[in-house]
Amino acid sequence: MVEGRTHKPVIGTDLCESCSVCVRGCPAEMIPEYRKETKSLRGALYREDATPLREEKKTALPPCRNACPVGMETREYARLISQGRFLEALDVIREDLPFPGIIGRICHHPCEGACLRQRLDEPVSLCALKRFVADYEVGRREMPAPVIGKDKGKKVAVIGGGPAGMTCSLDLRRMGYAVTLFEARSTLGGMLYYGVPPYRLPRDVLERESSLVAKAGVEFRFNTKVGEDITMKEIYAAFDAVFVGCGAEEGTRLGIPGEDAQGVVTGVAFLRQANSSEPPEAGERTLVIGGGNVAVDAALTAKRLGAREVRMVCLEKRHHMPAGAWEREQAREEGIRVNASLGPKRIIMGNGKVTGIEFARCTSVFDREGRFSPTFKENATRIFAADMVIVAIGQSPEVAFLKDLDGLQLSEGGWVKTDPGTLETTLPGVFAGGDIITGPRMAINAVADGKKAAVSIDRYLSSGGKS
């Protein structure tokens, strides 16, 4: 610490190395001064040249804040909560994260993994604190409407109403831009609504927090599928800039014999139907292929829909499964069986319906260079009976609607190619973020992309925009 202009100590951001010496007795009264010094670091945390400050000088920020994809003021809201100033803490959170009740329920909380407190005992429960103050607000005050900036006379189109699209829309409205959001379905949320089960994310929480987008004055075009009801070329011509954040909602296929059998569905399709007004019937013996978060959600949902026996089978060893530790524990507690180090070889059918699957022993998932390249011991096989198979091994984007835009390129694998610093695509004025550029990630990463894209769009339009 260095001495400031007042008697209170402040952090010299150019000197702090996050050594953790002060962590046991952090003088909380210095935080307001620190916040004044670092006001320029708020929001998207970008310099004028779009260089991420967190990447440029990580030691200038506390480890927890540095680990957060949106760079939240973790220590300040934790300090306010410790003093019982819950609504003030919520206001601080919403300056960076508009959906604390949502993210507080589903985030993988990398901030806690970086928390220095765990060297002493355990990390601060930052994710649960966000959820707490968001829930505390309900019934005590109306959720404050976003403060809208002075009208800049420019129009931006946002494609997709998921976390990336909603966040980008909100930030652009705060900056003073007119925003029109195109959504193929009848409600906001994207995969938050159709992919996350209600037991993890209650619908009233999702609807309450997504209502911020309407409060901000965003114009909605619901039930409008871009590529069918309107073309991207028409949108590009009518708006000053475009943000594409429609995610990756197509399930990945196995590519094995029998995959077209009745009773075989993808994880995202199963969850989408389960979250609809007409949920599917689960099989008596449901088998889920995959070890990630979607696979766990599908397994637990199948159990809730009446499946007598639910089994997960994955390539990875148990301790290497992609799903979070707390999700794996929940699956175990609810009676989900897990068989690890097995890969599907063929689907067994009877009268066109799935009756079981043959698996081969997986000896390794990645090659020596760390690339996904599973190898199997073909003569070591195992068969499981099943009358329903849910394939949750990955997702891919639906990008056919982008093909009428000359100059917009896709990367290997079919993802939209963007500049990593600005999220601008290869077509000037078109930006993209979320799962459509990287593949499935956590919702907090999509929020971060929405914020980054809004900053880049503002910079692009302020410098002249389309020629």
Side-chain angles (χ1 to χ4, degrees), residues 292-418:
N293 295 330
V294 173
V296 174
D297 284 344
L300 291 172
T301 299
K303 192 80 171 178
R304 285 164 169 75
L305 289 175
R308 179 172 56 85
E309 177 186 301
V310 181
R311 184 188 303 273
M312 289 177 59
V313 183
C314 61
L315 292 172
E316 302 85 3
K317 296 179 180 178
R318 284 176 182 262
H319 59 283
H320 288 156
M321 289 171 63
W326 62 276
E327 287 203 310
R328 298 199 303 269
E329 178 61 19
Q330 183 180 3
R332 186 193 67 79
E333 290 177 352
E334 297 198 22
I336 307 300
R337 300 181 181 183
V338 177
N339 293 87
S341 300
L342 293 172
K345 187 175 181 180
R346 68 185 178 97
I347 291 177
I348 303 169
M349 292 186 293
N351 298 320
K353 298 180 180 180
V354 59
T355 60
I357 310 181
E358 182 180 12
F359 291 88
R361 175 66 55 185
C362 181
T363 55
S364 66
V365 180
F366 302 98
D367 61 19
R368 292 182 178 180
E369 285 72 40
R371 294 171 298 197
F372 180 76
S373 181
T375 56
F376 301 95
K377 191 174 182 179
E378 294 296 337
N379 60 350
T381 62
R382 188 172 180 181
I383 294 177
F384 293 111
D387 52 13
M388 184 176 194
V389 173
I390 302 172
V391 181
I393 60 171
Q395 294 158 238
S396 59
E398 196 286 301
V399 294
F401 70 96
L402 296 171
K403 293 183 178 179
D404 66 341
L405 284 181
D406 296 332
L408 193 146
Q409 299 177 13
L410 303 180
S411 61
E412 186 176 351
W415 314 104
V416 176
K417 184 182 293 186
T418 61

Side-chain angles (χ1 to χ4, degrees), residues 219-239:
E219 178 187 352
F220 299 117
R221 301 276 184 89
F222 288 119
N223 301 308
T224 302
K225 187 171 178 61
V226 179
E228 295 180 8
D229 301 308
I230 186 173
T231 68
M232 272 299 294
K233 186 174 290 186
E234 289 173 317
I235 292 175
Y236 184 64
F239 290 85

